[in-house]
Amino acid sequence: MNHSALFKLSGIGILFVALFFAISLQGCRNNDKGIKLVTNAVIPIDEVDPESGAAIYLLGPDERPADNIYGEQPYGDPSGQRIAIRYYSTEDKPGGLSIIDLKDGCRYDILEGDPRFPAFHAWGDYLFYQEEIKDKLVLKRCHYLTLKKKDIAVLPPERGIYSYGTVSQDYRYYAVSVRPESATASQVHLLDLKTGKWSLLLDKQGYHAKHEQFSRDGRNKVLIQLNKIPDVKQVLLGELDVNGEEKLFPADRPFTPRPTGHETWIGETGAIFFSTGYDPGSTCNIWTASVGDEEPVKVFDGNLRFGHVSVSKCGRYWIGDTGEKDIPVYIGSFASGKYKRVVFTKTEYDGKQWAHAHPYLTAGNKWLIFTARRNGY
């Protein structure tokens, strides 16, 4: 069975030492009558990486496939205590969204069914997600610690087909990729959550806009990925202002090989971290860049090729997996340039989202979360 897995790390530097901890179930509390409580959701599996010493735990053991959703804007609270995971439906059991407490080992099931991809809002107090209620698509939120839920907005169907979207750090805006019914590519729409007013943020002809992410630096900029249609031979990365101004990062030709589509903001800055595809003429495929830079900065120069990437909440460390045997995860320092392999995920790709590692660090850098499909499950 594939599940999100994790490590407890004793430090935030490049050398990590794993520490086991006793899980106490006495702290499990069901704070909402509509939320199911499951205990024993964080289980040590007697596997320790021989090089890093990281101890592996299994998250949310269940007969359903599961994943950690995505790593570039981690779904977890600011303290690093709770994270969200997604379950996929099987013939016998519906899927859902759950919150797992890494401290007391409890799982709280907050949504049942086939959950849509939750909105990006990294290390926030709330998990934002969409839920179909009768004939309406509703943007909702659930507080990671209190588990209190609230309806935020009804998403009007006449605008088109909605992606997951992203909520700004100040909770003022919701930006979302939307594909109009008759269109072949998506635009970016903006909802002012204070006034309830919608606006069109971006409609870039010839490009499909996706992977929207609000910045964490207070500027409320939206990182956007622009795939050239129909062949995606070009992938641009840009930032959008809430007033609709678009500026591009130095990514794709002539600056770098084509981006992979895995990119994220670096801490509370205006810079981004991203990976690019294989290029026989280049020894680098992970980069940092800011709008206005003449060229991006190489993060790693060597034989490794990284795919899924993320950045720690503090902005000091980068995380990435590679296509090597057993799909290892590396953590590196932006400042020193040093890096270390932390673990082999041993995930087995099957073309499904639940087989992608999508590694990330919780707030405080105590746990490395990743998804792994092992032994055909």
Side-chain angles (χ1 to χ4, degrees), residues 233-287:
K233 289 185 177 180
Q234 183 185 52
V235 177
L236 302 178
L237 303 178
E239 69 172 28
L240 307 175
D241 186 87
V242 292
N243 295 319
E245 182 181 13
E246 173 201 358
K247 295 181 179 179
L248 295 177
F249 294 93
D252 211 323
R253 302 297 183 187
F255 307 103
T256 70
R258 185 182 63 174
T260 60
H262 299 297
E263 60 272 349
T264 183
W265 294 103
I266 300 176
E268 297 179 4
T269 74
I272 63 170
F273 175 56
F274 63 101
S275 64
T276 56
Y278 174 73
D279 183 347
S282 175
T283 55
C284 174
N285 91 310
I286 50 175
W287 318 73

Side-chain angles (χ1 to χ4, degrees), residues 36-38 41 60-62 64 87 98-100 105-109:
K36 180 182 177 182
L37 168 65
V38 178
D62 194 275
R64 299 166 297 175
Y87 287 102
S98 299
I99 290 175
I100 289 184
C106 297
R107 187 187 87 199
Y108 302 91
D109 298 338

Side-chain angles (χ1 to χ4, degrees), residues 6 20 22 62 75 78 80 87 89 155 226 234 247 344 363 368-369:
L6 61 147
F20 286 96
D62 194 275
Y75 296 94
Y87 287 102
S89 297
L155 306 182
L226 299 166
Q234 183 185 52
K247 295 181 179 179
F344 289 105
L368 172 68
I369 312 293

Side-chain angles (χ1 to χ4, degrees), residues 273-315:
F273 175 56
F274 63 101
S275 64
T276 56
Y278 174 73
D279 183 347
S282 175
T283 55
C284 174
N285 91 310
I286 50 175
W287 318 73
T288 64
S290 297
V291 165
D293 287 350
E294 292 185 0
E295 58 183 24
V297 176
K298 294 182 178 181
V299 174
F300 175 88
D301 212 352
N303 295 323
L304 297 177
R305 294 294 180 268
F306 297 92
H308 304 104
V309 297
S310 61
V311 173
S312 61
K313 184 176 185 292
C314 63

